[in-house]
Amino acid sequence: MADVPDARGINVFERDPALQSLLEVYLPPDLRRHLWPHFQALGAEVGGRLDELAGSADKHPPTLQYRNRQGFDEQRILKHPDYVQLERTAYSELGLARMSHAPGALGWPEVMPPMAKYALTFLFVQAEFGLCCPVSMTDSLTYTMCRHGSPEVIDRYFSNLTTLDFDALTQGAMFITEQGAGSDVSRITTTATQKDGQWFLSGDKWFCSNPDAGVAMVLAHVQGAADGLKGLGLFLMPRILEDGTANRYRILRLKDKMGTRSMASGEIALEGAHAHLIGEVGRGFQLMADMINWSRLSNGVRAAGLMRRAVSEALYICRHRQAFNKALIDMPLQRKQLLKMMLPSEQARSMMFQTARVMHLARQGNQAAEKCLRILTPLIKFRACRDARKVAGDGMEIRGGCGFIEEWSDPRILRDAHLGSIWEGTSNIVALDVIRAIRRNQGLDHLQCHLTGLLQEADHLPDASRQALVAKLQAVAAFATAVSEAEDERDTRKAASALYHIATAITMAWEASRLQHKGWARLAWAHLVLRHRLSATDPLASDYPASHGAALGRLLGQEPLTQADALSLLA
């Protein structure tokens, strides 16, 4: 009997030449050289040990202890040892929650740019998705605290939020959602009361991931303040008070979730819990939105990683499985399905790196980059997370019956992929946020300026490619402007998708100009975005003409392409 192709043990970094090339574009040479052995080591771990730990943690979800064995109240979330080992890897060995805030992660003497952190996360999430939520919340909570918190609060919590010592680590969370206040946070009923100069929180939070985190950002309505958004405050709430006693809130129960089973999510009852005000009363929503923008980019990164895992598995299967005396990858219909998986996967990782690059510029004080980031983060969260669901489903189908069996990674990847479109705003909410960024923050102007700048920097780009991209950018911008000015919201998602697609196409063309010594594969993908995601198609015409065959074959083989190959896909 023929063996079922099994990629377990394969180094996922070494088998991803596109990722290796993109690191050359986005990381400074000295940092790239320093991190290269770490990428190689992580790639091996993701293909082996970490994937085994993640599979085990998924099958052994956390449980809630209400009392200790002596009968006293002592709430604890009991995590499987394999999940704890994944935590050690992410927080202590890789330093994913530290590297954007303090030097020393992976032996690097400086704070790392976001591109490095998200490249490592992109690899890590190909093994474990659930843990990346607490890591992201710890990271974004630290950023928001440092940007808006008082010096006293920062001094008290910063070192433990960013430590590489796992036993001293404080993890972060954010408690926003209430049963009657999901996307509409103006309806939050949790109240914040001030007494003797201190703040206390009361109310119920209905969906709280990482509920036993050492500190959590909580959105609450300040007693006596205006109704709605203007009365919200943002608070940092510790799990343990300074005197060593537990703060006054309880975990009511843990959620039985479809995905991210390895990581605990629960319901919280706040019973006069002590908290620290972050920023000013009335600006709670704006400050929380700042934190959510970081989380939305992390969501997009995780979606990109899941898609790459699905694509990598599918490519391995198709190269190593035979049917009807042919390898699957040599069958035209199978090749088409693979290409339909690969295109959104390549788009997502280009968008991931480019958004991280803009975030890096924004953190250096570039105000135009900060405003551009305001539209990029909902764009990647909206489109990449939706694409991941389809790609993960196709990956399961390619494996066949085994893909439906829990012993393989496909069910876990598919379940986890569906969560990205819900966390930090559903697709409708995030698409509306794209339009809001256009109306209130001139987001489209800044995005268009940024993309035009990328085209200007791409000085080796063929004229035909440049002209096609410029024309499509103008058309997309005109459409997005019309949608933003209309009272009817029905085309909002269509506009957000179009902006995402043109942003990824131009980004990939810019990447290609910087990687021309390694071929023009990124430009070929850019041309496929123009053809299949931004152009009208005849439903009765062939998607891939015969003239595209050679170039598409090289893309499937992850091989270098000539400029002529890439241009053949534009015709």
Side-chain angles (χ1 to χ4, degrees):
M1 185 176 69
D3 291 337
V4 176
D6 189 351
R8 174 66 61 80
I10 298 296
N11 189 312
V12 300
F13 177 70
E14 292 180 352
R15 291 182 65 87
D16 192 350
L19 175 59
Q20 297 173 35
S21 296
L22 289 173
L23 294 178
E24 184 177 325
V25 173
Y26 287 99
L27 293 185
D30 53 346
L31 178 58
R32 187 178 71 252
R33 286 191 294 270
H34 176 82
L35 288 179
W36 201 264
H38 296 287
F39 283 118
Q40 290 179 310
L42 181 57
E45 290 275 86
V46 166
R49 183 182 70 94
L50 293 181
D51 192 51
E52 293 177 2
L53 292 173
S56 173
D58 181 70
K59 291 176 175 59
H60 300 91
T63 58
L64 178 59
Q65 170 190 289
Y66 292 91
R67 289 188 164 196
N68 61 27
R69 65 181 183 178
Q70 295 175 320
F72 297 109
D73 289 344
E74 184 185 348
Q75 282 202 330
R76 289 177 58 205
I77 291 180
L78 306 178
K79 305 172 184 178
H80 192 272
D82 288 345
Y83 181 81
V84 175
Q85 186 55 52
L86 289 166
E87 288 182 308
R88 287 184 180 275
T89 300
Y91 285 106
S92 297
E93 296 171 22
L94 296 175
L96 293 178
R98 177 187 179 91
M99 58 180 55
S100 289
H101 311 286
L106 294 175
W108 186 246
E110 302 172 9
V111 173
M112 289 193 203
M115 298 84 78
K117 174 181 66 182
Y118 291 126
L120 290 161
T121 303
F122 174 83
L123 277 178
F124 183 86
V125 77
Q126 292 181 50
E128 165 61 15
F129 180 93
L131 174 60
C132 288
C133 172
V135 171
S136 171
M137 290 192 296
T138 305
D139 181 30
S140 56
L141 179 147
T142 303
Y143 165 78
T144 302
M145 179 190 73
C146 290
R147 189 173 185 184
H148 304 290
S150 67
E152 294 78 14
V153 168
I154 296 170
D155 289 344
R156 183 176 302 172
Y157 297 107
F158 179 81
S159 61
N160 290 98
L161 284 165
T162 57
T163 184
L164 299 177
D165 179 355
F166 187 73
D167 294 329
L169 174 69
T170 295
Q171 294 187 30
M174 55 182 180
F175 301 164
I176 307 175
T177 307
E178 299 179 9
Q179 184 68 283
S183 299
D184 185 1
V185 297
S186 66
R187 299 180 64 186
I188 279 177
T189 60
T190 297
T191 57
T193 305
Q194 191 174 31
K195 182 179 180 180
D196 299 329
Q198 298 188 14
W199 289 95
F200 301 92
L201 307 179
S202 299
D204 285 354
K205 293 295 182 180
W206 189 76
F207 204 112
C208 304
S209 291
N210 210 24
D212 65 336
V215 290
M217 286 289 189
V218 184
L219 207 55
H221 186 269
V222 176
Q223 191 174 50
D227 293 335
L229 295 178
K230 294 181 179 180
L232 295 179
L234 182 62
F235 297 85
L236 185 74
M237 181 180 71
R239 178 82 172 137
I240 302 297
L241 300 176
E242 287 187 77
D243 62 4
T245 61
N247 205 352
R248 292 183 60 83
Y249 67 91
R250 291 179 296 122
I251 304 170
L252 300 177
R253 63 168 180 165
L254 299 186
K255 301 288 193 181
D256 184 9
K257 298 174 294 180
M258 172 181 165
T260 64
R261 294 177 175 176
S262 63
M263 181 268 300
S265 299
E267 299 172 20
I268 301 288
L270 305 167
E271 301 168 332
H274 174 68
H276 308 281
L277 177 65
I278 302 297
E280 303 170 3
V281 171
R283 297 196 66 238
F285 175 73
Q286 291 91 332
L287 303 188
M288 179 61 83
D290 201 19
M291 181 174 174
I292 287 175
N293 271 334
W294 273 56
S295 295
R296 282 179 172 175
L297 173 53
S298 177
N299 251 306
V301 172
R302 282 175 262 163
L306 287 180
M307 280 191 273
R308 179 57 201 176
R309 172 67 187 272
V311 165
S312 180
E313 293 278 341
L315 287 171
Y316 186 89
I317 292 164
C318 290
R319 288 176 183 140
H320 293 86
R321 185 173 181 179
Q322 298 243 339
F324 310 108
N325 298 317
K326 282 185 178 181
L328 295 187
I329 201 164
D330 292 329
M331 297 179 174
L333 198 56
Q334 188 65 81
R335 292 164 73 87
K336 180 178 177 179
Q337 187 177 12
L338 286 170
L339 287 164
K340 289 176 71 174
M341 293 175 64
M342 293 176 74
L343 180 58
S345 174
E346 295 301 329
Q347 285 183 268
R349 66 165 144 197
S350 285
M351 192 67 157
M352 165 190 94
F353 274 120
Q354 190 61 222
T355 306
R357 178 173 173 263
V358 172
M359 175 181 279
H360 182 54
L361 295 172
R363 293 188 67 184
Q364 293 177 319
N366 186 318
Q367 292 186 349
E370 186 168 352
K371 292 179 179 179
C372 187
L373 184 66
R374 177 65 184 82
I375 192 171
L376 284 173
T377 48
L379 280 176
I380 187 173
K381 199 279 185 187
F382 167 66
R383 189 69 258 165
C385 292
R386 291 192 64 79
D387 287 343
R389 291 155 39 175
K390 179 67 166 61
V391 172
D394 282 356
M396 172 182 280
E397 184 178 355
I398 285 175
R399 198 185 297 278
C402 287
F404 205 65
I405 305 302
E406 291 287 349
E407 293 170 318
W408 296 84
S409 60
D410 307 84
R412 174 163 50 92
I413 292 172
L414 183 60
R415 287 195 302 268
D416 290 347
H418 276 264
L419 191 58
S421 294
I422 299 174
W423 269 347
E424 278 80 57
T426 60
S427 298
N428 284 349
I429 293 299
V430 179
L432 287 168
D433 200 32
V434 171
I435 299 302
R436 191 176 299 113
I438 294 175
R439 290 172 176 167
R440 300 180 183 177
N441 302 93
Q442 295 79 49
L444 180 57
D445 294 340
H446 291 284
L447 177 62
Q448 197 168 2
C449 182
H450 176 71
L451 296 177
T452 300
L454 292 182
L455 287 173
Q456 291 171 347
E457 292 175 20
D459 46 9
H460 297 287
L461 207 60
D463 288 341
S465 302
R466 187 184 306 278
Q467 292 169 9
L469 290 165
V470 168
K472 193 62 71 173
L473 175 60
Q474 293 172 346
V476 169
F479 176 63
T481 298
V483 172
S484 70
E485 293 174 350
E487 294 183 8
D488 194 325
E489 299 171 343
R490 71 180 68 185
D491 287 329
T492 296
R493 287 166 65 141
K494 191 173 183 179
S497 290
L499 287 169
Y500 175 85
H501 295 321
I502 191 59
T504 57
I506 290 175
T507 294
M508 289 192 282
W510 174 80
E511 292 165 349
S513 72
R514 296 196 161 202
L515 290 169
Q516 56 179 307
H517 59 289
K518 291 191 173 183
W520 290 88
R522 304 310 290 173
L523 184 60
W525 288 120
H527 290 165
L528 289 177
V529 173
L530 290 178
R531 183 181 184 88
H532 294 288
R533 310 301 287 266
L534 283 170
S535 298
T537 58
D538 182 349
L540 301 181
S542 175
D543 292 326
Y544 296 102
S547 59
H548 291 181
L552 295 176
R554 293 187 182 93
L555 286 177
L556 282 170
Q558 301 180 104
E559 302 166 4
L561 275 75
T562 66
Q563 190 177 103
D565 288 330
L567 285 170
S568 73
L569 300 177
L570 184 62

